[in-house]
Amino acid sequence: MAAQKVEHYEIATYGSLTQFVKTLGKTDLADLMVQTLEEEKEAAQLLTSIAENNNVKVTVE
Ligand SMILES: [Fe+2]
């Protein structure tokens, strides 16, 4: 859950940075921000997949 929270924070950050650099007219930087944003989304999806596939066993006593 902690890792998922980090990924979502990064997604919000790179989404905002994408718009900031577009506003500044820095299209080369916008492309880099979009690429990084997509990588963060992929990481979040991987973590979701791990959680959904029960790769972590939890025991409640
Ligand atoms: Fe990340």
Side-chain angles (χ1 to χ4, degrees), residues 6-7 10 40 43:
V6 169
E7 296 308 325
E10 290 174 320
E40 301 303 344

Side-chain angles (χ1 to χ4, degrees), residues 3 6-11 14 36 39-41 43-44 47:
V6 169
E7 296 308 325
H8 285 211
Y9 185 81
E10 290 174 320
I11 288 168
Y14 285 109
T36 305
E39 291 172 359
E40 301 303 344
K41 288 179 179 178
L47 291 170

Side-chain angles (χ1 to χ4, degrees), residues 22-53:
K22 282 181 179 177
T23 298
L24 293 172
K26 305 288 187 182
T27 54
D28 54 331
L29 291 178
D31 291 345
L32 182 60
M33 293 300 105
V34 169
Q35 177 184 339
T36 305
L37 176 60
E38 292 306 314
E39 291 172 359
E40 301 303 344
K41 288 179 179 178
E42 289 173 16
Q45 183 55 49
L46 176 60
L47 291 170
T48 298
S49 178
I50 290 170
E52 289 175 346
N53 290 307

